[in-house]
């Protein structure tokens, strides 16, 4: 099976996004390590492809050893997956991109993995903030040429766009 993965800092809204996307779909959770919050979870969607839930990053309080474990886990995952067709990098649109988001983005560039930025929780933005969203994300990630999908699990804005983007990544 081909797969697409989802990654972002803790609390970015990843679980909510995954639930919003697969609502009405047939889902089977294929693997996980019980009791481990920081592991890679695979969901088989409609018997067709995997959605991969990568553990969240970016809690400053997390001990260095734990952060290293996270980096090793993600690096191993990104390096070895020839079935990985693309990554959705979630960024909180209210907070804006963090240093860790930038590192993740640089990593994806380094490995040559196609990715799309999903700006989460856009329902929290005023319309003036929403207009500046693309520039804010591009400035934070230091890249003027990013594909960004505004998303809200509250209003479901962006759901169809993300699903279509998944289809296209899987076709490529
Ligand atoms: P995760 O840690 O990345 O899996 O994040 P969650 O999906 O658990 O969401 C973290 C917090 O953000 C929760 O309190 C959610 O209710 C809230 N949240 C998630 N998505 C949205 C959204 O689209 N809009 C708003 N306003 N809040 C959201």
């Amino acid at each position: 099976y081909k797969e697409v993965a989802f990654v972002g800092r803790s609390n970015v809204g990843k679980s909510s996004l995954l639930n919003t996307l697969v609502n009405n779909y047939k889902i089977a959770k294929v693997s996980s390590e019980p009791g481990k919050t920081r592991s890679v979870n695979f969901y088989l969607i409609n018997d067709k492809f995997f959605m991969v839930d990568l553990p969240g990053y970016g809690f400053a309080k997390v001990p260095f050893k734990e952060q290293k474990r996270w980096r090793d886990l993600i690096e191993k995952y990104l390096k070895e997956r020839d079935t990985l067709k693309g990554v959705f990098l979630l960024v909180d649109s209210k907070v804006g991109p963090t240093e860790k988001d930038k590192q993740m983005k640089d990593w994806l560039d380094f490995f040559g993995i196609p990715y799309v930025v999903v700006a989460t929780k856009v329902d929290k933005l005023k319309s003036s903030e929403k207009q500046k969203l693309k520039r804010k994300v591009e400035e934070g990630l230091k890249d003027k040429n990013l594909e960004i999908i505004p998303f809200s699990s509250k209003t479901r804005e962006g759901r169809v766009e993300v699903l279509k983007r998944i289809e296209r990544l899987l076709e490529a």
Side-chain angles (χ1 to χ4, degrees):
Y1 293 108
K2 294 177 182 177
E3 64 199 51
V4 290
F6 297 81
V7 71
R9 49 179 271 280
S10 309
N11 215 41
V12 72
K14 182 155 54 68
S15 316
S16 306
L17 173 129
L18 291 174
N19 284 320
T20 303
L21 291 182
V22 301
N23 175 279
N24 292 326
Y25 285 31
K26 180 186 169 194
I27 315 157
K29 187 168 180 177
V30 171
S31 81
S32 68
E33 297 167 72
K36 280 198 183 159
T37 45
R38 277 158 202 283
S39 62
V40 179
N41 288 310
F42 291 81
Y43 299 92
L44 183 61
I45 309 299
N46 288 343
D47 300 316
K48 211 176 128 200
F49 69 96
F50 281 119
M51 273 172 46
V52 183
D53 183 8
L54 298 174
Y57 52 80
F59 269 135
K61 284 186 194 126
V62 172
F64 179 75
K65 225 179 140 180
E66 182 71 4
Q67 289 183 36
K68 183 175 183 323
R69 201 178 95 72
W70 181 89
R71 274 208 312 275
D72 292 348
L73 182 80
I74 301 288
E75 185 165 4
K76 187 170 181 292
Y77 170 78
L78 293 177
K79 257 188 190 164
E80 291 172 3
R81 308 299 298 190
D82 50 347
T83 47
L84 177 63
K85 295 302 164 190
V87 171
F88 290 86
L89 172 58
L90 276 57
V91 172
D92 190 315
S93 60
K94 193 82 190 172
V95 178
T98 65
E99 194 48 45
K100 289 257 163 61
D101 295 325
K102 170 77 169 82
Q103 284 171 20
M104 188 72 228
K105 181 238 181 245
D106 290 345
W107 233 1
L108 294 167
D109 283 330
F110 177 77
F111 286 115
I113 298 167
Y115 59 87
V116 177
V117 177
V118 176
T120 63
K121 310 187 191 180
V122 285
D123 59 278
K124 285 177 150 185
L125 301 185
K126 291 181 247 156
S127 64
S128 59
E129 292 175 309
K130 215 171 159 181
Q131 281 176 354
K132 294 179 200 139
L133 178 61
K134 186 167 160 66
R135 200 189 299 164
K136 178 167 138 184
V137 172
E138 288 180 339
E139 270 170 14
L141 295 176
K142 299 182 173 59
D143 191 329
K144 294 248 168 296
N145 223 334
L146 289 172
E147 190 184 342
I148 302 163
I149 303 179
F151 185 89
S152 165
S153 54
K154 283 244 163 82
T155 64
R156 296 162 77 88
E157 172 180 347
R159 176 180 185 266
V160 171
E161 225 176 322
V162 173
L163 289 172
K164 281 188 184 157
R165 199 60 188 87
I166 292 174
E167 287 289 325
R168 267 173 56 211
L169 287 167
L170 294 173
E171 282 164 12

